[in-house]
Amino acid sequence: MSHLLHLISCFIRTLAVAFILAIVATVLFNLYLKFTLIEHDTDANTKVSTKYAYLIDPDNRFTIKELGEKLPSFTAVTPDKIPYQLSSQTVWLQLKLTNNTNQLQKLVLYADNSLLDTFNIYPLTSSGLQLFPLESQDSTINRLYPHIDLSLAAKESRTFILEIQTDGPPNVPVMVLAEEKFHHRLLYTQVIYGAFIGIVLLMALYNLVLYFAIKDSVYLIYIGYLISATLVLSSLTGFGYLIFSTDTQAFINKYLLFIDYYLVIFLLTFTLFFLRYHQQSKHTYRIGKLFCIALIGCSLYSLTLDTIAQTKLFFSLQPVVYLFALFLIIRRLRNDFSWAKYYVLSWFPLLAGAAIQPLVLLNYLSYSFITSNAFLFAVMAEVTLMAFALAERMRRHEQDRLSDITYHIASGLPRKSNIERFINQLSIQANQDFTVIVVRPEHIEKVALYIDDSMNTDLFQRLFIKLSSLFEFNDAIYPLTDKKEKLCFINNDSLIFILNNKRNKQSLETLVHSIQQVINENFEVDNIKLPLSAVIGAATYPQHGTKSHQLINHAILAANSGENTAIKWAIFQPESSDHANYLLKLTGELKQALENNQLNIYHQPQIDLRTLRVCSSECLLRWQHPKEGFIPPSVFIPIAEDMGLINQLTLWVIQQSLAQQAILSEEYGYNHMVSINISGKDIASKHFFKQCLDIIDASNIPADKIIFELTESASFAYNDHALKLIEELAELGVTISIDDFGTGYSTMSQISHLPFQELKVDREFVENVNDDNKRKIIAETTVKMAKGLGLEVVAEGINSQADEDTLRKFGCDIGQGYFYAKPMNLDDYIDWLKNLVNGRIKQPVQGEFIPASKE
């Protein structure tokens, strides 16, 4: 039924459009017939015979008196064959009129050219040529149509000599019409010009409103084009005398060709801006600007030339500009025709009118009412089509704006706003039962360390297509957009959809398994298939929230929880929300503790395994919460990373550690090194090096006494900025160490081409190294490979004499662990340094590290 109603609606709309087009076509056809009738007065031609002859005076030397002696030299011709040319010549016409009837004929002799410099009519009588011209009525209409009223008695013949001279358009159609037909012609031309002025005014106001609404300069440029087109046509048709004062119109006529340049400049500039070359193709836009600048220069140069030279220069440049504008249009058509179709169509009448009317004015085409006004008709058609084009552009602009809101620009995938709007619509309806489900590729945050934005976009576009195919015939999954897309892209790392629980015929577990299978088969980066699946979280309305942000956030929290399970998916549990709120609260308190210096630095010594002396201390951050008590770094460091506090936190640790190192050195004489932990997110900061340099300079601690222990080393290998920063730190003298080697993403092949000087073997492979043969082999191999690369090796997690002996045997340089000391605050560390315990002092052996004892 709905399909039938849609067909009927489409039929009615089509019928209405056809009816309107038929009316418009009928009006235009009738106007064409009227124009055809007024082109030639057939009644006057039958009743009054006309004979033409001409004489060209190229040097303007003849006077009317001298011409009386030259009458036999006139050449007989038909009106359309008079050889008008673009020059300063004077054309003399001999016109003989004969009344073939027995009645008085009232006629009008006129020239269809309002830019004449000279138009004089001299009667030829039986006594000879009259030496003074007939005087016409001095009026606006006479300036518009130079003419004179004549009367011919029955069977009377009269001959006239016409003196015509112009530096403007050379073609001067001279006509003889019945008085009534002449006034009809004036009426029609006034109606046409009035319609043109009305269209121009409406379009100018319309575009002015659009400019103030949208602030797009293309609308102001178009208004400039309309104004220049109006001035040009007002001069060409002479109708400017109807709207401007005589002196103003005379001034416009004088500088008509100068204005013509700016008509072309505005048209070219409008083309560049309308087709958005200023936004999308800077090179082409620059060429277009150079064209416009060149035209401005030519317009100023033309002011130094006479009218004939100006005309030749302009008409030689105009085709070049039109060809360049057509190139701009055709180039844009190759990309997208739909939004520019009306603008392209507007060029057809413009080019036709721009070609026809100059050819008529230059006497290369036959004169007619339609061809003589071709440019006026063309501009009217063009302005009308451009009104559609601007409306379409504005519609497309609005569509693009909405698309930017609802779709990601880079990927083209639906944004989060689509699902938020849809959830809000569903929640208004009664008895709704649906589940919001988030799908995130497993370990995508780690994978992101190796790929750029385009690869990440390609990955999610591929997953979007595959999951869309999986959901295509599943009616239980809601379409979220006008395009019936069922997935949205959120947080730059997840896809999300809504499941209608009432329509769903399969278990949630089955659906999740099928999604994970699709992700597993299509989780590829740079054509490398990764053996990973998907992490999925679900939140149900209304149990887990009634607002869109609640359901989406709870589904994300569920996915985070599911990542730590074997099945890799979970349904939201309110307890996890409480935990999330706790972490959020803790974030604010951590920031406050940082700002109020309520955090502490603890030192854990590092021992040279050859000299058994303290060679360094690792500075560790500790937080003693006033209410919660001790909060371990494993809790608050991830919070700092997720909430963007890690950079500020690291810089605070560096500053405090170096300040305490200065106390150890200057007050107590302990000159060993200080080791500070740095994260991958610190290295990614473009200001980190300068900030570190400022802190080091202020501390007076030599850079060669500082060790930076870096984590997430895999991310550095593919990050040019990180590599450059590490190299700058190394050049400064800072020792760069790889922390926790053997876990995470650090590999020996990556380390071999990274600028590190020290490697730290993770405690997992050091603690009780003698109790597990596999662990022992891994530790020994790691140490030997690192030594082979010329790296110092630190073993953390030494808890016994046996651990120390084994690591020393492997070739390890430095030891760290509870066998020597637990992390201590500064005062306890100073006491420890004064009273080394556990019998750690032996006879010193010459080593490469400076001992902790006073010098």
Side-chain angles (χ1 to χ4, degrees), residues 114-115 117 143 231 234-235 238 240-242 244-257 259:
S114 61
L115 296 176
D117 295 305
R143 292 190 185 92
L231 294 176
S234 296
S235 289
Y241 288 109
L242 297 177
F244 302 116
S245 68
T246 302
D247 292 339
T248 301
Q249 186 57 46
F251 179 83
I252 295 172
N253 290 347
K254 181 179 179 181
Y255 294 100
L256 175 59
L257 285 167
I259 299 170

Side-chain angles (χ1 to χ4, degrees), residues 587-605:
T587 301
E589 293 172 345
L590 174 61
K591 190 174 187 300
Q592 187 175 6
L594 181 62
E595 292 172 351
N596 296 333
N597 288 320
Q598 294 172 347
L599 303 173
N600 298 302
I601 298 295
Y602 275 50
H603 295 258
Q604 187 174 30

Side-chain angles (χ1 to χ4, degrees), residues 222 225 263-272 274-275 318-330 333 340-355 375 378-379 381-383 385-386 389:
Y222 186 57
Y225 169 72
L263 173 66
V264 174
I265 290 169
F266 278 120
L267 183 60
L268 179 57
T269 307
F270 179 81
T271 303
L272 289 168
F274 182 83
L275 298 178
Q318 187 184 38
V320 178
V321 179
Y322 281 171
L323 287 173
F324 179 67
L326 286 174
F327 162 76
L328 297 177
I329 295 169
I330 293 170
L333 286 180
K341 56 180 178 285
Y342 291 113
Y343 181 63
V344 173
L345 292 174
S346 73
W347 271 82
F348 288 102
L350 178 66
L351 290 175
F375 193 55
V379 172
E382 181 215 18
V383 167
L385 289 171
M386 287 180 76

Side-chain angles (χ1 to χ4, degrees), residues 611-646:
T611 65
L612 294 180
R613 295 194 177 186
V614 177
C615 60
S616 180
S617 69
E618 181 179 5
C619 292
L620 302 166
L621 185 61
R622 295 293 183 262
W623 183 16
Q624 189 70 25
H625 194 282
K627 294 182 180 179
E628 302 286 342
F630 175 71
I631 299 177
S634 60
V635 173
F636 68 81
I637 292 297
I639 292 176
E641 289 181 338
D642 292 341
M643 298 300 178
L645 284 175
I646 189 64

Side-chain angles (χ1 to χ4, degrees), residues 416-548:
K416 184 179 180 181
S417 57
N418 292 281
I419 195 167
E420 289 177 330
R421 183 179 65 254
F422 196 85
I423 291 173
N424 291 334
Q425 291 173 353
L426 284 179
S427 61
I428 296 173
Q429 303 172 21
N431 302 319
Q432 289 298 315
D433 182 12
F434 60 89
T435 299
V436 176
I437 299 177
V438 167
V439 180
R440 184 172 68 236
E442 186 181 6
H443 297 315
I444 187 63
E445 71 284 353
K446 299 296 184 183
V447 174
L449 297 174
Y450 298 88
I451 64 177
D452 55 25
D453 290 340
S454 63
M455 294 169 67
N456 186 73
T457 297
D458 179 69
L459 169 64
F460 278 96
Q461 285 174 331
R462 185 167 59 253
L463 296 181
F464 181 89
I465 292 171
K466 294 296 182 181
L467 288 178
S468 295
S469 299
L470 178 67
F471 298 158
E472 184 176 1
F473 301 107
N474 190 338
D475 293 338
I477 298 176
Y478 286 107
L480 303 175
T481 69
D482 294 337
K483 299 178 183 179
K484 306 302 179 184
E485 294 150 319
K486 295 184 176 182
L487 291 147
C488 290
F489 184 41
I490 65 170
N491 298 348
N492 209 38
D493 66 358
S494 304
L495 297 169
I496 189 170
F497 65 94
I498 303 176
L499 178 68
N500 185 334
N501 296 327
K502 293 180 180 179
R503 287 188 178 182
N504 188 31
K505 304 300 182 184
Q506 60 183 332
S507 66
L508 186 57
E509 184 177 1
T510 302
L511 177 63
V512 166
H513 178 73
S514 62
I515 294 171
Q516 289 177 330
Q517 186 66 29
V518 169
I519 301 293
N520 179 262
E521 293 173 354
N522 295 280
F523 198 164
E524 295 181 5
V525 175
D526 201 17
N527 297 322
I528 299 174
K529 190 174 186 301
L530 304 179
L532 300 174
S533 182
V535 177
I536 297 174
T540 301
Y541 175 92
Q543 297 94 318
H544 301 146
T546 57
K547 303 295 184 183
S548 61

Side-chain angles (χ1 to χ4, degrees), residues 306-377:
D306 59 62
T307 305
I308 304 300
Q310 286 183 31
T311 304
K312 291 180 178 179
L313 176 63
F314 174 76
F315 282 107
S316 65
L317 292 174
Q318 187 184 38
V320 178
V321 179
Y322 281 171
L323 287 173
F324 179 67
L326 286 174
F327 162 76
L328 297 177
I329 295 169
I330 293 170
R331 187 179 179 195
R332 180 61 71 233
L333 286 180
R334 292 187 305 174
N335 300 326
D336 186 2
F337 174 70
S338 60
W339 71 277
K341 56 180 178 285
Y342 291 113
Y343 181 63
V344 173
L345 292 174
S346 73
W347 271 82
F348 288 102
L350 178 66
L351 290 175
I356 292 172
Q357 184 151 357
L359 292 175
V360 173
L361 294 175
L362 295 172
N363 204 37
Y364 292 115
L365 283 182
S366 298
Y367 169 88
S368 70
F369 180 80
I370 293 177
T371 57
S372 66
N373 290 284
F375 193 55
L376 176 61
F377 293 133

